Amino acid sequence: MSPHLEVLGPGAMTTVQDLGRFGAQALGVPVSGALDRDALRLANALVGNEAGMACLEIRLFGPTLRLRSDSVRVALTGTETAIELLGQESRTIAAGQSTTLKRGQEFRVSALRDTATAYLSVAGGFDLPEFLGSQSTYTPGGFGGLDGRPLAQGDTLPLSLACAPAGRDLKVQAAAEPHFQSTVRIVLGPQDDHFSEQGLATFLSKPYRVSDQMSRMGIRLLGEEVEHLAGHDIPSDGVVTGAIQVPGNGLPIILLADRQTTGGYPKIAAVISADLPSLARLRPGDEIRFQTVTVAEAEAARRDSEAQLKRMIDQLTAVGAVQIDPATLMQVNLISGVVSAAD
């Protein structure tokens, strides 16, 4: 039988996601892909994959899996929850660290305590077909990933490699994983002129709470209503990931990776690309506020976030390797109790 992962338990909403499919929005097909692209790229780096390879995107709580190949290297990112190895070799593997598993090993990712989204990478990726250049699952359309749907009990996930590649397991340096920030930066528009001055002031000054109506398509927020200036309908036009629509009830909706490609509600603002990963970490009940920035500031923030991710990947270290800080070493007295040989 070909190498695969057997799904013993699927988790809440576990799908195959890569960086998305591009060039098909004119056909009504969204980019889709990972909600937290930084965490996906970091997960791939830990197992030696190319940055955009497909991983398992885990929402709220993860799957229980059994390895049906000689070996595999896996890593979990985007959370502080550990991988739990089950059976006789019961132990935990910290997030942000790869580990190599053997045939028959069972493992799981339990409830995500600190975030809503995490990523499980496997060295070599999944042996799944691409649709429009991507393996990403788009559940509203029923394509991509594993039959266009979340994992189900009894599924088999085909692996591209029967054995883990040679090399040592890697880990992220301590405290390098990103965390959710409650202030979300935005650029106003393109239809911010469809809202009254009071409506804009409310949107920018009041906190909003994440409702339980959240999915890969979007997040409905609860809080004070944003007042429209003259109606809440516009001719449908294009929308982007991170666009914030305000329908007739005045409560904002943040559009995510599986959002529609066009929409007929006015868009008061868009979340800057550097803060999109934070949206993936939101859980029902979390509170956020919005802060306006300029386009130039948004571009600078994206450059900074890319540089931070690059540093994290460049500084990955082998598991078990001894880290020596030369600056600290120079401050330590390594010689004590010296006596004279003549005495």
Side-chain angles (χ1 to χ4, degrees):
M1 182 177 290
S2 60
H4 65 273
L5 292 173
E6 179 183 357
V7 180
L8 305 179
M13 174 75 174
T14 306
T15 57
V16 176
Q17 301 292 342
D18 54 27
L19 290 181
R21 52 180 57 84
F22 298 88
Q25 293 190 82
L27 305 175
V29 180
V31 173
S32 197
L35 294 174
D36 185 344
R37 296 185 174 196
D38 290 353
L40 179 134
R41 289 188 288 171
L42 182 59
N44 277 319
L46 283 165
V47 297
N49 287 346
E50 294 182 4
M53 290 186 70
C55 299
L56 291 182
E57 182 178 89
I58 296 165
R59 299 279 283 166
L60 298 179
F61 72 90
T64 301
L65 305 167
R66 178 187 291 135
L67 178 60
R68 295 299 193 186
S69 71
D70 291 338
S71 62
V72 70
R73 180 166 293 128
V74 300
L76 182 68
T77 61
T79 180
E80 294 176 359
T81 300
I83 297 174
E84 300 176 48
L85 304 187
L86 308 175
Q88 293 183 346
E89 298 184 24
S90 178
R91 58 190 174 96
T92 60
I93 305 298
Q97 174 177 315
S98 66
T99 188
T100 302
L101 307 178
K102 299 177 182 178
R103 180 181 293 276
Q105 179 71 65
E106 295 181 12
F107 62 103
R108 71 184 174 200
V109 179
S110 56
L112 306 179
R113 300 183 300 272
D114 55 326
T115 183
T117 309
Y119 293 87
L120 183 75
S121 60
V122 299
F126 301 106
D127 187 18
L128 292 169
E130 293 186 350
F131 182 83
L132 295 176
S134 169
Q135 292 183 341
S136 284
T137 308
Y138 180 55
T139 56
F143 54 77
L146 192 67
D147 301 326
R149 57 171 174 77
L151 298 191
Q153 186 173 356
D155 281 341
T156 58
L157 267 171
L159 301 174
S160 296
L161 300 179
C163 298
R168 299 179 66 174
D169 289 317
L170 300 175
K171 64 179 179 179
V172 178
Q173 291 195 14
E177 283 271 22
H179 293 278
F180 167 68
Q181 301 296 324
S182 60
T183 299
V184 176
R185 292 169 291 182
I186 57 170
V187 173
L188 288 174
Q191 284 104 28
D192 52 310
D193 57 349
H194 282 57
F195 301 89
S196 67
E197 290 186 12
Q198 181 58 48
L200 283 169
T202 296
F203 177 71
L204 296 174
S205 64
K206 301 298 182 181
Y208 286 90
R209 192 172 75 256
V210 176
S211 76
D212 57 7
Q213 293 183 285
M214 57 180 296
S215 68
R216 283 181 45 82
M217 292 189 71
I219 301 172
R220 291 183 179 270
L221 301 177
L222 301 175
E224 292 196 24
E225 296 179 10
V226 178
E227 183 181 62
H228 294 84
L229 190 59
H232 60 269
D233 291 320
I234 62 170
S236 290
D237 64 359
V239 295
V240 298
T241 302
I244 305 175
Q245 292 183 325
V246 184
N249 64 5
L251 297 178
I253 303 171
I254 307 177
L255 302 181
L256 301 180
D258 283 352
R259 43 84 190 162
Q260 70 276 18
T261 55
T262 62
Y265 294 130
K267 296 171 287 297
I268 194 169
V271 177
I272 69 172
S273 59
D275 285 2
L276 290 178
S278 287
L279 302 180
R281 301 168 198 143
L282 288 171
R283 303 166 64 92
D286 285 346
E287 187 176 278
I288 61 173
R289 290 178 177 269
F290 296 108
Q291 175 188 341
T292 59
V293 297
T294 66
V295 171
E297 289 170 332
E299 292 171 344
R302 178 59 183 270
R303 287 192 293 269
D304 289 344
S305 68
E306 288 292 318
Q308 179 188 13
L309 179 63
K310 184 179 185 301
R311 285 194 299 271
M312 291 169 64
I313 292 174
D314 289 344
Q315 293 172 6
L316 294 179
T317 58
V319 173
V322 176
Q323 296 298 300
I324 298 176
D325 180 1
T328 302
L329 188 63
M330 294 297 291
Q331 298 175 18
V332 176
N333 180 11
L334 299 179
I335 302 176
S336 64
V338 176
V339 298
S340 172
D343 295 337

